[in-house]
Amino acid sequence: MQISDLPYPDPGVPDARSGPRFLVWLGRGQLGGQAKSLCWGMLHFSGIAGLPYAVGTGIDAAVDRDAARLLLVGGLVVLLGAAISLGDAMLHRTAVTNWITAAARVQQLLARKTAELGSALTRRVAAGEVVAVSTGDVEKIGWFVEAVSRFLAAAVTVVLVCVGMLFYAPELGVVVAIGVPLVALAALPLLPRATRRADFQREKAGKATELASDTVAGLRVLRGIGGEELFLGRYREASQEVREAAVRSARMWALISAIQVLLPGALLITVVWYGAALVLDGRIALGQLVAVFSAVATLLYPLRHFEEIAMAYSFSRPSAQRAARVLSLTRTDAAAERPAAAGVPVPAPAPGGDLYDPATGLLVPAGRFTAVVCGDPDLAGRLAERLGGHPMDAEAGGPAEPSVLLGGVALDELALDTARTLVLVQDKEPVLLSGSLRDLFDVPASGAVEPDAALGAAQCGDVLDALLQAAPDGVDDPMDARITERGRSLSGGQRQRLALARSLVTDPEVLVLDEPTSAVDSHTEARIADGVAALRAGRTTVVLASSPLLLDRADRVVLIHEGAVAAIGTHRELLHGEPLYRAVVTRETEEEQRAARPEPAELDEVLTEIEESA
């Protein structure tokens, strides 16, 4: 795989059972790139390992005054230099390719999982953790994948040099064969403690990132209540904890690095001391001593990769664990065991089916405008998620919820694209991405609703004027006007209306709107209610709201109390005949309800008067 081939047409199905399994799956998917990197690494390290032999042979040739052999040694040095240069360049190229392809694959997998879960992702995993996985963790995972081939090349080179020294100078070769593995493995007992400290540092950094993400997201609210200093203090404390954890982790890695310097130095001293004695005894030649000394010195370079692979694994393992946790999530626990998840397609229901929620008993007739009133905003949010095919599972906290049925077919059994084509849910706080207004409406749609009609139904005339006023000179079409990130240059009501227009353009079979007009004034809300009702005539529309203006335009209103359907009727019927509904819609207190309800004695007097008049 080359970098030019990215992104992958299909990143594959990851093994997300654990962090190490996920790393193995990534490496197995790049065997070709790893083999290339290993070959170039072998060429590079072999050239380095061959230099001591060439130097030793050259010294022996100079002592023996053998010009021909000295010339051959010069040619060998040139050849080894070329091998070192070519191998180093290509090793770097292939290793970086492995790193980028691994990181790109992980990012593709995370993007696909994010698109699959939608808003349910942040309900199960903190937003800060998702950000940490898709940024810093991706880099650490790629680092380990690209370091594997360089480590294997270094390890093979170290083994070959140790074996070669046994044949080249057996007396000194034994010292090298025993000393080099000890040097390579000396830091192994310290790795578990270093790994634990690195994990602790990652955990603290993840919490700090999550706190920062939540603070930025709620900055406007914090400014409104004067809470910036409070959250700044919390983040300051969290960042200090991260710093302290990083220092403790760095101390351990510094100790490991010191061992990697101290022990090779001791080995070099031992080789020189023992080798000098052998030369004086005439048991080895001077060139052999120089060659063995140079070989041990050059081995310090490949031995660094032993420390690097240990660091890469200790840092990437918790990162891979977090990535595996996100990638292992499914739309629901039950969906993972159903035929659709096993690759057997479930046919879409026939058009015109009713929408039914077994958890609450809510029935939404096809082609009708149904309003749903919930006294509990959290219950309304969970109902909206469930109507979109994302019932809460046991992992999210509690027993698994039943699947919503559309035309008798469970939504979470359908393929994701099919389910979202049939049912679209607009959240309470929809997000507007940066770009032009034309880009905003470039979404999968039936084509039956034009953007102009959707903008008119959502009462976006003033929004278009505001975008044109803020647009640079030369932009005459509001569709070419730019929207800033998350629509920050617009008011909350303007953002809400643009999001509503985008939802109307998609024209799904079932449209679920969760408080679509909570940020607009009453006059605009009334016009929006009329526009949505007219534009969605004959299509199934569900609005979760408590605004009388929206409820009065609905064909039927359903009251849900304590998780179940409590009353069904029109807005006016429920307002006059259902006290609980009236309390939710009009915001009446219990005292106001009791004051409006006649006492039994008063009721008896009224009945007596009616009987006497009769």
Side-chain angles (χ1 to χ4, degrees):
M1 175 64 70
Q2 300 296 325
I3 295 178
S4 58
D5 297 327
L6 296 176
Y8 286 94
D10 181 9
V13 180
D15 186 350
R17 289 176 291 177
S18 67
R21 289 177 183 270
F22 180 60
L23 291 175
V24 171
W25 177 84
L26 274 177
R28 196 167 58 238
Q30 295 181 209
L31 291 179
Q34 295 286 3
K36 291 179 182 178
S37 186
L38 177 60
C39 292
W40 289 115
M42 286 295 302
L43 178 63
H44 174 60
F45 290 122
S46 297
I48 294 175
L51 281 177
Y53 173 76
V55 171
T57 304
I59 291 176
D60 288 340
V63 172
D64 298 339
R65 299 182 181 276
D66 189 343
R69 190 162 48 138
L70 192 59
L71 184 61
L72 290 176
V73 170
L76 178 61
V77 170
V78 172
L79 184 61
L80 291 174
I84 293 173
S85 299
L86 178 62
D88 188 24
M90 297 307 298
L91 172 61
H92 179 74
R93 178 184 179 89
T94 53
V96 170
T97 300
N98 290 336
W99 181 85
I100 293 177
T101 50
R105 171 174 283 183
V106 176
Q107 286 181 327
Q108 280 187 261
L109 291 170
L110 291 171
R112 186 175 67 180
K113 182 60 65 174
T114 302
E116 175 187 344
L117 297 177
S119 60
L121 175 61
T122 53
R123 192 178 65 194
R124 304 183 192 183
V125 182
E129 184 172 349
V130 177
V131 173
V133 170
S134 58
T135 53
D137 287 340
V138 167
E139 295 183 2
K140 294 179 179 64
I141 292 171
W143 175 29
F144 174 75
V145 171
E146 67 93 7
V148 168
S149 55
R150 291 189 286 110
F151 162 71
L152 292 176
V156 172
T157 302
V158 169
V159 172
L160 291 178
V161 169
C162 291
V163 173
M165 289 297 100
L166 289 174
F167 288 95
Y168 179 71
E171 294 85 352
L172 278 179
V174 173
V175 177
V176 174
I178 295 175
V180 169
L182 291 177
V183 171
L185 302 177
L188 194 60
L190 298 177
L191 289 181
R193 181 178 297 181
T195 302
R196 287 194 298 270
R197 292 190 179 185
D199 292 349
F200 184 73
Q201 178 192 350
R202 301 280 82 72
E203 179 183 353
K204 290 295 183 180
K207 291 182 179 179
T209 302
E210 180 180 345
L211 179 60
S213 176
D214 293 342
T215 302
V216 172
L219 187 59
R220 179 174 296 182
V221 177
L222 290 176
R223 286 176 175 173
I225 63 176
E228 304 101 309
E229 290 300 325
L230 174 62
F231 275 81
L232 179 61
R234 291 181 179 178
Y235 182 74
R236 186 181 292 112
E237 293 176 1
S239 63
Q240 289 300 315
E241 292 178 357
V242 174
R243 182 189 62 79
E244 293 174 0
V247 170
R248 293 184 70 248
S249 178
R251 286 173 180 168
M252 184 56 63
W253 288 111
L255 177 59
I256 293 175
S257 298
I259 292 175
Q260 294 295 320
V261 173
L262 177 63
L263 293 185
L267 179 60
L268 284 175
I269 294 174
T270 302
V271 168
V272 172
W273 174 77
Y274 183 56
L278 293 177
V279 171
L280 292 177
D281 292 342
R283 298 165 61 182
I284 62 172
L286 178 61
Q288 288 179 307
L289 173 60
V290 174
V292 174
F293 173 82
S294 302
V296 174
T298 54
L299 281 181
L300 299 182
Y301 172 60
L303 283 176
R304 293 178 192 166
H305 292 79
F306 286 73
E307 178 187 355
E308 181 189 10
I309 195 65
M311 292 183 63
Y313 180 74
S314 65
F315 278 84
S316 65
R317 188 180 60 82
S319 297
Q321 187 65 41
R322 283 194 292 267
R325 180 192 172 199
V326 174
L327 295 175
S328 64
L329 297 175
T330 57
R331 292 165 62 188
T332 62
D333 285 345
E337 303 174 358
R338 290 175 176 165
V344 180
V346 175
D354 296 338
L355 187 67
Y356 176 66
D357 176 31
T360 59
L362 171 65
L363 177 65
V364 179
R368 304 286 296 278
F369 185 179
T370 302
V372 179
V373 176
C374 295
D376 184 359
D378 293 334
L379 175 62
R382 292 197 300 271
L383 176 60
E385 291 287 349
R386 199 161 55 245
L387 293 177
H390 295 283
M392 183 178 293
D393 49 44
E395 181 184 4
E401 297 177 336
S403 302
V404 169
L405 306 178
L406 179 61
V409 178
L411 283 177
D412 57 352
E413 288 186 357
L414 298 172
L416 183 62
D417 293 342
T418 303
R420 288 185 174 169
T421 301
L422 296 173
V423 182
L424 175 68
V425 178
Q426 177 177 303
D427 298 330
K428 288 182 180 179
E429 299 179 357
V431 176
L432 302 181
L433 301 179
S434 59
S436 67
L437 190 58
R438 197 181 308 280
D439 296 332
L440 179 68
F441 289 101
D442 186 15
V443 293
S446 66
V449 178
E450 295 295 330
D452 291 342
L455 288 167
Q459 301 298 311
C460 294
D462 63 317
V463 183
L464 300 181
D465 294 339
L467 290 175
L468 274 181
Q469 291 178 0
D473 296 337
V475 177
D476 300 326
D477 188 350
M479 297 299 291
D480 295 327
R482 302 288 298 179
I483 300 175
T484 57
E485 180 187 2
R486 292 181 174 267
R488 298 186 188 279
S489 61
L490 302 173
S491 66
Q494 290 174 330
R495 291 195 300 270
Q496 199 171 56
R497 281 177 282 163
L498 281 180
L500 175 60
R502 178 180 58 187
S503 299
L504 293 173
V505 165
T506 61
D507 189 38
E509 182 174 334
V510 180
L511 177 61
V512 180
L513 303 172
D514 189 2
E515 294 287 357
T517 59
S518 59
V520 300
D521 60 82
S522 58
H523 298 288
T524 305
E525 186 178 28
R527 293 194 296 269
I528 290 176
D530 292 333
V532 172
L535 191 63
R536 294 286 300 174
R539 307 286 277 170
T540 307
T541 305
V542 183
V543 177
L544 288 88
S546 58
S547 169
L549 295 173
L550 281 175
L551 300 175
D552 194 40
R553 266 69 170 183
D555 298 326
R556 64 198 302 267
V557 180
V558 179
L559 172 65
I560 295 181
H561 179 63
E562 295 183 353
V565 173
I568 302 176
T570 65
H571 169 60
R572 297 177 186 272
E573 293 172 350
L574 295 177
L575 193 62
H576 292 89
E578 182 59 51
L580 182 60
Y581 176 83
R582 183 170 58 251
V584 174
V585 173
T586 62
R587 306 296 196 273
E588 285 185 351
T589 64
E590 294 183 1
E591 291 77 7
E592 292 173 336
Q593 293 181 45
R594 286 196 297 268
R597 189 184 306 122
E599 295 294 334
E602 296 177 356
L603 183 59
D604 291 339
E605 293 178 2
V606 172
L607 292 176
T608 302
E609 293 178 1
I610 293 175
E611 291 175 355
E612 292 177 352
S613 63

